Amino acid sequence: MRKETRQVDVGDVKVGGGAPIVIQSMTNTDTKDVASTLEQIEALAAAGCEIVRVAVVDQKASETLATLVKHSSVPLVADIHFDHRLALTALNGGISKLRLNPGNIGSEAKVREVVKAAQERSVPIRIGVNSGSIAGSILEKYGRTATGMVESALEHIAIFEKLNFHDIVVSLKATDIDLTVQAYEELSSRVNYPLHLGITESGTKWFGTVKSAAGLGALLSRGLGDTLRVSLTADPVEEVKVGWAILSAMGLRQRGPLFISCPTCGRTEIDLEGIAAEVEKRLSDYPLPITIAIMGCVVNGPGEASHADLGITGGNGVGLVFRHGKILRKVAEDELVDALVAEANNLLAER
Amino acid sequence: MRKETRQVDVGDVKVGGGAPIVIQSMTNTDTKDVASTLEQIEALAAAGCEIVRVAVVDQKASETLATLVKHSSVPLVADIHFDHRLALTALNGGISKLRLNPGNIGSEAKVREVVKAAQERSVPIRIGVNSGSIAGSILEKYGRTATGMVESALEHIAIFEKLNFHDIVVSLKATDIDLTVQAYEELSSRVNYPLHLGITESGTKWFGTVKSAAGLGALLSRGLGDTLRVSLTADPVEEVKVGWAILSAMGLRQRGPLFISCPTCGRTEIDLEGIAAEVEKRLSDYPLPITIAIMGCVVNGPGEASHADLGITGGNGVGLVFRHGKILRKVAEDELVDALVAEANNLLAER
């Protein structure tokens, strides 16, 4: 059961309040390089990224936001640290969301100025607490603990609430998964702002994929999370793919086909690994969110995959194509993938 | 906090009762092909697989187990369905564990025979319930639900307990992660036998890795699990690598260095992706379980990664190597990886 949260609008994308969990990522281009940044934004959008964040490190970067916003096909988020003027320029440029910690931008007057401008434009702000950069006073009192992270978030939240600003999203990122889970659970029991999930510094492409999936799986399985970003030391397009794979694996959202396949074992008589890889490749752009089972033995195959829309199995040179567990075709093993693709196209024509 | 379970001995490997979570996998060779099977067992062991399961589909396969057991460097598990004679031969051959559902092998006399032989040799038996193959009577009463899976497991457990056999391990595999989590949680609240974790039919190599990590992350973060197998439609060695990565990501066990690295962003001035990949490659066989941080910006790098044993960061052509957040060396960017490897070797010499 997903945790009920307040809903905010990030441009035309809804976050929280029962909306589908939103996938986001962040550009790694120089934000001031408009052509490269727009190209990456569109590559991200094409991969299924629904909100894109850009780093705004200086005034010049903040001034390019208006152009990026004008041409981007998805809502943009400005990532700002310390300097409230960058936030004001970003808001003037039509940004759809800010990532900014109010406790870090100076006087209350400055915060009030940003909040007023955000309110006028109905722009939400994400508070991002990172276990690695908790304020000294909190660190002293609570250490680098879940409670410390939550107290840090609550301090920032209190600043906004005092100004009657509630279009808030909160993230509590750490590299430690247990700490992250504890922090999100604790915060979730105290406020109902939508939660942005992520495991920070998760690592290299392969290990970071495993760690992000493990951490986000732990959080999502507890009903936590309204939007997520997978962080990888890799092309951000890969972050989007992994994000979708995680939501798909958790049964929360699906984009294109979901492949299930049994592990190979001593009973497998067909080249399951090769067939699975070929099926995944040939149907990677298939538009319907169906489930396709690729099973290694004729005995258990159709039965175990009866919940799949389509499936294949084989043994002794013979292959079967089935639909909801019912056998459709019996073909030679080397025609299995062709037959499956043909049936997938039949299904597409029907719908 | 990990769930307290009873401990069983799988050869010299302890499972449950506070022992480290054991990584296992399964061969996909023909078990009767002794040379190929032993080669795969040793490849799995070299990758860190601590228990290897082999499919025993017929009498001839069960007869080869004695030879496999004699030459294997890790304890072996015989995977048996329906035929109790295969279990008896496996036990005679010195197998360290059976995977067998007592409700599926026929008369009580047959079960008693297997249990007696297992007891004499102190060999534990895993009961493996799969959501895809629940008995009809239970399916009718409970449907394909977590409770149905748990009731199915409890029926098998009751058969063993009636014979005073308690060296039991239980798995409850499903393709649906929520269902799996519910089933393990429910079973864990009712019995304290050690739990074997896995997500079945998790899919192709990449998607299956994401799904296994998400599902096992959800389970492990709840303190559940004493041993695990990642199932992939891929070389089983890959299953072992992913298994270790999951345990490492969850902070439960570590094999070799753990790499943390920040996502690239608009602030990154070095080729973080390339550097991270090179570091991961050059230190992949490094024996110490240390944490190495690969950070993209000089400002936050050393501070955010102060919990890492070693780290690097850079910008504007300059690189820093640090140890527990303290800067050790300042080098040119293209000497960063060499400098890090040198410091890792210094650390190795010290310990």
Side-chain angles (χ1 to χ4, degrees):
Chain A
M1 185 67 79
R2 284 183 58 199
K3 167 87 197 295
E4 192 71 48
T5 56
R6 182 186 167 90
Q7 192 167 71
V8 302
D9 291 305
V10 180
D12 57 0
V13 175
K14 296 195 180 304
V15 174
I21 297 170
V22 171
I23 300 268
Q24 52 178 297
S25 181
M26 187 170 185
T27 54
N28 61 9
T29 52
D30 178 348
T31 304
K32 295 187 280 287
D33 178 347
V34 171
S36 301
T37 304
L38 277 176
E39 191 184 342
Q40 196 171 57
I41 289 169
E42 293 315 311
L44 288 167
C49 189
E50 299 167 297
I51 297 177
V52 176
R53 180 157 50 112
V54 297
V56 180
V57 293
D58 55 26
Q59 191 60 32
K60 186 124 188 288
S62 73
E63 284 161 11
T64 61
L65 292 176
T67 312
L68 296 177
V69 165
K70 194 177 158 194
H71 296 284
S72 170
S73 64
V74 292
L76 301 183
V77 184
D79 192 274
I80 289 163
H81 292 256
F82 312 118
D83 189 342
H84 85 294
R85 290 167 304 181
L86 305 183
L88 296 174
T89 312
L91 288 165
N92 274 328
I95 205 78
S96 297
K97 185 180 167 194
L98 295 174
R99 186 278 193 202
L100 169 151
N101 289 351
N104 300 347
I105 62 168
S107 68
E108 198 185 310
K110 288 177 181 171
V111 176
R112 187 176 292 125
E113 219 181 327
V114 172
V115 163
K116 187 163 168 282
Q119 251 160 350
E120 282 168 7
R121 293 161 178 87
S122 301
V123 166
I125 303 180
R126 169 159 70 95
I127 293 167
V129 171
N130 187 310
S131 69
S133 52
I134 296 177
S137 57
I138 286 182
L139 211 52
E140 209 166 283
K141 195 163 170 192
Y142 301 99
R144 213 175 292 283
T145 60
T147 304
M149 292 172 71
V150 170
E151 289 299 327
S152 178
L154 291 173
E155 274 192 7
H156 292 298
I157 290 170
I159 295 171
F160 280 150
E161 288 182 338
K162 197 178 154 199
L163 297 169
N164 202 27
F165 183 78
H166 299 280
D167 282 348
I168 302 170
V169 178
V170 189
S171 65
L172 298 167
K173 297 189 185 181
T175 59
D176 184 273
I177 292 177
D178 275 342
L179 181 62
T180 310
V181 170
Q182 280 170 39
Y184 276 104
E185 280 200 313
E186 197 172 322
L187 185 71
S188 173
S189 72
R190 298 183 63 173
V191 301
N192 75 341
Y193 295 115
L195 299 177
H196 165 118
L197 305 184
I199 303 295
T200 195
E201 294 150 28
S202 67
T204 48
K205 186 169 165 179
W206 180 80
F207 184 76
T209 296
V210 171
K211 184 163 179 178
S212 295
L216 295 175
L219 290 164
L220 293 166
S221 70
R222 287 167 167 82
L224 300 170
D226 300 286
T227 177
L228 65 85
R229 180 207 176 184
V230 170
S231 297
L232 299 176
T233 309
D235 182 340
V237 167
E238 190 67 23
E239 299 182 345
V240 176
K241 288 186 186 167
V242 174
W244 275 105
I246 293 170
L247 290 185
S248 179
M250 300 296 299
L252 290 164
R253 284 185 83 182
Q254 196 181 329
R255 197 177 141 85
L258 174 66
F259 299 102
I260 60 174
S261 54
C262 60
T264 56
C265 75
R267 287 185 203 87
T268 311
E269 290 174 338
I270 56 172
D271 170 24
L272 196 67
E273 185 175 354
I275 290 173
E278 197 190 337
V279 168
E280 192 172 39
K281 192 173 148 204
R282 286 186 55 185
L283 292 175
S284 68
D285 290 329
Y286 186 77
L288 295 182
I290 61 172
T291 301
I292 297 176
I294 304 152
M295 309 301 288
C297 77
V298 179
V299 181
N300 298 324
E304 291 205 359
S306 59
H307 50 296
D309 297 288
L310 287 175
I312 50 175
T313 185
N316 279 326
V318 174
L320 302 176
V321 181
F322 46 92
R323 185 163 165 174
H324 295 296
K326 215 187 114 196
I327 293 168
L328 287 181
R329 294 203 204 183
K330 192 169 173 178
V331 299
E333 190 190 320
D334 60 5
E335 292 164 7
L336 249 182
V337 179
D338 286 340
L340 174 67
V341 171
E343 288 302 334
N345 288 333
N346 287 347
L347 198 69
L348 189 58
E350 282 173 34
R351 296 208 186 162
Chain B
M1 186 67 80
R2 284 183 59 200
K3 168 83 198 295
E4 193 71 47
T5 56
R6 182 187 168 90
Q7 191 167 72
V8 302
D9 291 305
V10 179
D12 57 359
V13 175
K14 295 194 179 306
V15 174
I21 297 170
V22 171
I23 301 267
Q24 52 178 297
S25 181
M26 187 171 184
T27 54
N28 61 10
T29 53
D30 178 348
T31 303
K32 294 187 280 287
D33 179 346
V34 171
S36 302
T37 304
L38 276 176
E39 190 184 345
Q40 197 172 54
I41 288 170
E42 293 314 311
L44 288 166
C49 188
E50 298 165 298
I51 296 177
V52 176
R53 180 159 48 113
V54 297
V56 180
V57 293
D58 55 26
Q59 191 60 31
K60 185 125 187 286
S62 72
E63 284 161 12
T64 61
L65 293 175
T67 312
L68 297 177
V69 164
K70 193 176 158 195
H71 295 285
S72 171
S73 64
V74 292
L76 301 183
V77 184
D79 192 274
I80 289 163
H81 292 256
F82 311 119
D83 189 344
H84 85 295
R85 289 167 304 180
L86 304 183
L88 297 174
T89 312
L91 289 165
N92 275 328
I95 205 79
S96 297
K97 186 180 166 194
L98 295 174
R99 187 277 193 203
L100 168 152
N101 289 351
N104 301 347
I105 61 167
S107 67
E108 201 186 308
K110 289 177 181 172
V111 176
R112 188 176 290 125
E113 220 180 328
V114 171
V115 162
K116 189 164 166 281
Q119 251 161 348
E120 282 168 7
R121 294 160 178 84
S122 300
V123 166
I125 303 180
R126 169 159 69 94
I127 292 168
V129 171
N130 188 310
S131 70
S133 52
I134 296 177
S137 58
I138 286 182
L139 210 54
E140 209 167 281
K141 195 163 169 192
Y142 301 99
R144 213 175 291 283
T145 61
T147 304
M149 292 172 71
V150 170
E151 289 298 328
S152 179
L154 291 173
E155 273 193 6
H156 292 298
I157 289 171
I159 295 172
F160 280 149
E161 288 182 338
K162 199 178 153 198
L163 298 170
N164 202 27
F165 183 78
H166 299 279
D167 281 349
I168 301 171
V169 178
V170 189
S171 65
L172 298 166
K173 297 190 184 180
T175 60
D176 184 273
I177 292 176
D178 274 343
L179 180 62
T180 309
V181 170
Q182 280 169 41
Y184 276 104
E185 281 200 313
E186 198 173 321
L187 184 70
S188 172
S189 72
R190 298 183 65 175
V191 300
N192 75 341
Y193 295 114
L195 299 176
H196 165 119
L197 305 184
I199 303 295
T200 195
E201 294 150 28
S202 67
T204 48
K205 185 168 165 178
W206 180 79
F207 183 76
T209 295
V210 171
K211 185 164 178 178
S212 294
L216 295 176
L219 290 165
L220 293 166
S221 70
R222 288 167 166 84
L224 300 170
D226 300 285
T227 178
L228 65 83
R229 180 206 176 184
V230 170
S231 297
L232 299 175
T233 308
D235 183 340
V237 166
E238 191 67 22
E239 299 182 345
V240 176
K241 287 186 186 167
V242 174
W244 274 104
I246 293 170
L247 290 186
S248 177
M250 300 299 297
L252 290 165
R253 284 184 84 181
Q254 197 180 325
R255 197 177 142 85
L258 174 67
F259 299 103
I260 61 174
S261 54
C262 59
T264 56
C265 76
R267 288 185 202 89
T268 311
E269 290 173 339
I270 56 172
D271 170 23
L272 196 67
E273 185 176 352
I275 289 173
E278 197 189 337
V279 168
E280 191 172 38
K281 193 174 148 202
R282 286 185 55 184
L283 291 175
S284 67
D285 290 329
Y286 187 77
L288 295 181
I290 61 172
T291 301
I292 296 176
I294 304 153
M295 310 301 289
C297 77
V298 180
V299 181
N300 298 324
E304 291 205 359
S306 59
H307 50 295
D309 296 287
L310 287 174
I312 49 175
T313 184
N316 279 325
V318 174
L320 302 176
V321 182
F322 46 90
R323 183 162 166 176
H324 295 296
K326 213 187 116 197
I327 294 167
L328 287 182
R329 293 204 205 182
K330 192 169 173 178
V331 298
E333 189 189 321
D334 58 6
E335 293 163 8
L336 249 182
V337 179
D338 286 340
L340 174 67
V341 171
E343 289 301 334
N345 288 333
N346 287 347
L347 198 68
L348 189 57
E350 282 173 34
R351 296 208 187 163

